[in-house]
Amino acid sequence: MDPRIDALLRGQQEYYDARAAEYDEWWTRQGRYARGAEVDAQWFREQAVLYAALDQLDLSGHVLELACGTGNWTLPLSHRAARLTAVDGSLEMLRLNRARVLSDRVTYVQADLFAWEPAEAYDAAVFCFWLSHVPEERLDPFLAKVRRAVRPGGAVFFADSSPDPLGTSTDQPLSDGDGTVMTRRLNDGRQFRIVKRYDEPRTLTERFAACGLELEIRRTGRFFIFGAGRSTTS
Ligand SMILES: C[S@@+](CC[C@H](N)C(=O)[O-])C[C@H]1O[C@@H](n2cnc3c(N)ncnc32)[C@H](O)[C@@H]1O
């Protein structure tokens, strides 16, 4: 393992822990993330496409959500799953999520996803706005982990960012140069370096398939990429 990557990933987790209280400003286009009525309306239309794609999947059994954050996906998942296990590395994210979702069907787990191993084969797995934070060299091991976490034929869904400058805040570029790391700022000015990568749908489709995950991966238009499908049965 590369110690520089480990340090970057620790900093990335610290960033999300520190950002937890202001995290939803991005999803709801508040403050530094507001980009004007027209652009924000498109953002919300494309968000609706993501939620509609999630609605198409069978999420009826024990569902696993990785990097659950403040609950933007935990909430709808909690209405559909018989049971939901939601994993995140940040205690503050988990606290906000629990307070928002208020469901006794959800079990929360604090864990580093690069070290975490599934304790069982779930009926479905969902991970939103997480894949782009996985370094290239950890992508295949992560996808193999998802494969181990989902029973054969179980549903898999992810959503993530497309590389559009209007998708992030007004005061940060998409990346620091090599297209894989970016500097993020909090409202109080603190800065963190994190992984942020934008894989093409075709590349991702092949990487998923090589790990036994058959997903159809598409863009919503401008802001998002998403994939929906199944863990293979063989
Ligand atoms: C971009 S947020 C996505 C949150 C949520 N899925 C959503 O779409 O709103 C990324 C999440 O990954 C979590 N995270 C970052 N590094 C992690 C790690 N190594 N292990 C587990 N969770 C991690 C953060 O705490 C944060 O909640």
Side-chain angles (χ1 to χ4, degrees):
M1 292 293 171
D2 183 339
R4 285 167 307 179
I5 301 273
D6 288 336
L8 186 60
L9 292 175
R10 275 195 302 278
Q12 173 162 276
Q13 181 61 96
E14 283 165 21
Y15 163 67
Y16 277 110
D17 207 42
R19 185 183 162 196
E22 62 193 70
Y23 177 78
D24 287 337
E25 292 175 11
W26 160 73
W27 194 233
T28 57
R29 309 296 276 187
Q30 305 293 310
R32 292 180 293 141
Y33 300 92
R35 296 297 198 139
E38 204 173 309
V39 173
D40 291 350
Q42 182 168 358
W43 174 268
F44 291 120
R45 276 197 303 276
E46 293 191 24
Q47 247 184 34
V49 172
L50 299 179
Y51 285 123
L54 187 73
D55 277 350
Q56 301 295 311
L57 292 183
D58 175 8
L59 299 168
S60 54
H62 189 177
V63 176
L64 173 69
E65 186 189 4
L66 300 174
C68 61
T70 57
N72 292 322
W73 300 89
T74 318
L75 190 61
L77 288 172
S78 73
H79 296 145
R80 305 216 12 230
R83 283 191 295 150
L84 177 62
T85 293
V87 185
D88 200 284
S90 162
L91 273 182
E92 186 56 13
M93 287 285 190
L94 291 172
R95 189 186 68 74
L96 291 168
N97 189 313
R98 189 181 280 111
R100 174 180 180 184
V101 174
L102 290 174
S103 170
D104 57 10
R105 291 204 301 274
V106 184
T107 301
Y108 291 96
V109 176
Q110 187 205 8
D112 174 1
L113 284 175
F114 296 104
W116 174 86
E117 274 298 324
E120 61 187 279
Y122 297 85
D123 293 304
V126 173
F127 39 99
C128 294
F129 300 93
W130 165 249
L131 210 57
S132 57
H133 298 305
V134 176
E136 158 68 25
E137 53 272 65
R138 306 273 176 104
L139 181 61
D140 293 341
F142 172 73
L143 295 176
K145 189 176 291 198
V146 172
R147 175 71 170 90
R148 290 196 293 283
V150 182
R151 69 167 169 76
V156 177
F157 179 86
F158 82 92
D160 220 300
S161 318
S162 275
D164 190 297
L166 297 181
T168 187
S169 66
T170 45
D171 60 350
Q172 52 203 11
L174 280 176
S175 82
D176 282 0
D178 73 350
T180 64
V181 174
M182 73 184 289
T183 301
R184 287 276 180 90
R185 293 183 196 87
L186 297 180
N187 287 341
D188 66 8
R190 275 180 292 165
Q191 294 193 14
F192 298 80
R193 271 164 59 79
I194 66 161
V195 176
K196 189 70 182 175
R197 302 190 313 105
Y198 303 96
D199 286 321
E200 288 297 320
R202 212 170 84 188
T203 313
L204 273 182
T205 304
E206 288 166 6
R207 300 285 285 267
F208 273 75
C211 294
L213 302 168
E214 281 176 355
L215 271 72
E216 186 183 341
I217 299 177
R218 295 193 283 129
R219 296 195 192 280
T220 52
R222 180 169 190 169
F223 292 118
F224 307 118
I225 181 173
F226 68 100
R230 320 214 135 262
S231 175
T232 53
T233 45
S234 52

